[in-house]
Amino acid sequence: MPKLGVNIDHVATLRQARREFEPDPIQAAAISLQAGADSIVCHLREDRRHIQDDDVKKLRRLVKKNLTLEMAISKDIVKLACIVRPDRAMLVPEKRTEVTTEGGLNVVKYYRNIAQTITTLNKKNIPTCLFIDPSKKQIKMAHQVGSTVIELHTGVYANAKTKTQKKRELQKLNEMSAYAHSLGLIVNAGHGLKYHDTRSVAQIKYIDELNIGHSIISRAVFVGLANAVKEMRKIVKG
């Protein structure tokens, strides 16, 4: 039975659209935890398009355990992570022009920089998770560079247009989660999951946690955040 991590980025997206003080992502995190979220996730982007540095510091004070900070391999963000000390740092790829994260981190190509960042974070006792595509070569390299946790990118599965594509991508997630588990890695998954397609991923044997944001915040517009979290939690917990 996987845990549910709630990503509160898009509460901050709405706030930043008007450069106002509300809605407050910190309050969103508190409501999510009260509604049954097992962890809180936030992504501090290089362009600061939603979550801000001060948000991360406030979240650290609120979330006593299980705070995940998504971050690119950027010196200033790595430095902030070492100060704030989230319970987990998730390294993700990042492009300024993308609307949302478009794929997994290429660990094979950037393994030197990734390994160096993992070493830096380890010195502060910050476990590292790598957000990667469900690919055997990426999983193998994630293990070799010293990561103990991976998050499998579920975007291709979530955006599949046909039942055949959906089934193929789900099978890939099944096989790659089993492979990662065989290497001793903790396996999480997330990105693009909706209320209608999360259950199948939640039923994968070796998935430890599902991290979901946009669909929960979107649903919250109509039913309220607490109800949106409870509904997704019910799906994830089976």
Side-chain angles (χ1 to χ4, degrees), residues 179-190:
Y179 173 67
H181 177 78
S182 73
L183 297 178
L185 293 168
I186 295 172
V187 186
N188 298 339

Side-chain angles (χ1 to χ4, degrees), residues 100-137:
T100 185
T101 305
E102 296 174 347
L105 191 65
N106 191 335
V107 191
V108 175
K109 184 176 181 179
Y110 300 110
Y111 73 94
R112 293 184 188 277
N113 288 339
I114 292 170
Q116 184 177 21
T117 302
I118 290 174
T119 298
T120 299
L121 294 168
N122 281 347
K123 289 179 180 178
K124 296 294 183 178
N125 296 317
I126 303 171
T128 306
C129 173
L130 301 184
F131 180 76
I132 58 177
D133 292 328
S135 157
K136 183 169 285 189
K137 65 179 182 180

Side-chain angles (χ1 to χ4, degrees), residues 148-197:
T148 57
V149 187
I150 61 169
E151 179 165 320
L152 295 179
H153 176 234
T154 56
V156 178
Y157 161 80
N159 295 322
K161 302 300 182 183
T162 67
K163 290 183 178 180
T164 300
Q165 291 174 331
K166 204 85 165 174
K167 184 177 180 181
R168 182 175 63 244
E169 293 304 321
L170 184 63
Q171 181 62 26
K172 186 185 296 184
L173 290 167
N174 264 288
E175 293 174 355
M176 292 302 101
S177 62
Y179 173 67
H181 177 78
S182 73
L183 297 178
L185 293 168
I186 295 172
V187 186
N188 298 339
H191 194 78
L193 295 174
K194 306 294 192 294
Y195 284 80
H196 69 273
D197 61 12

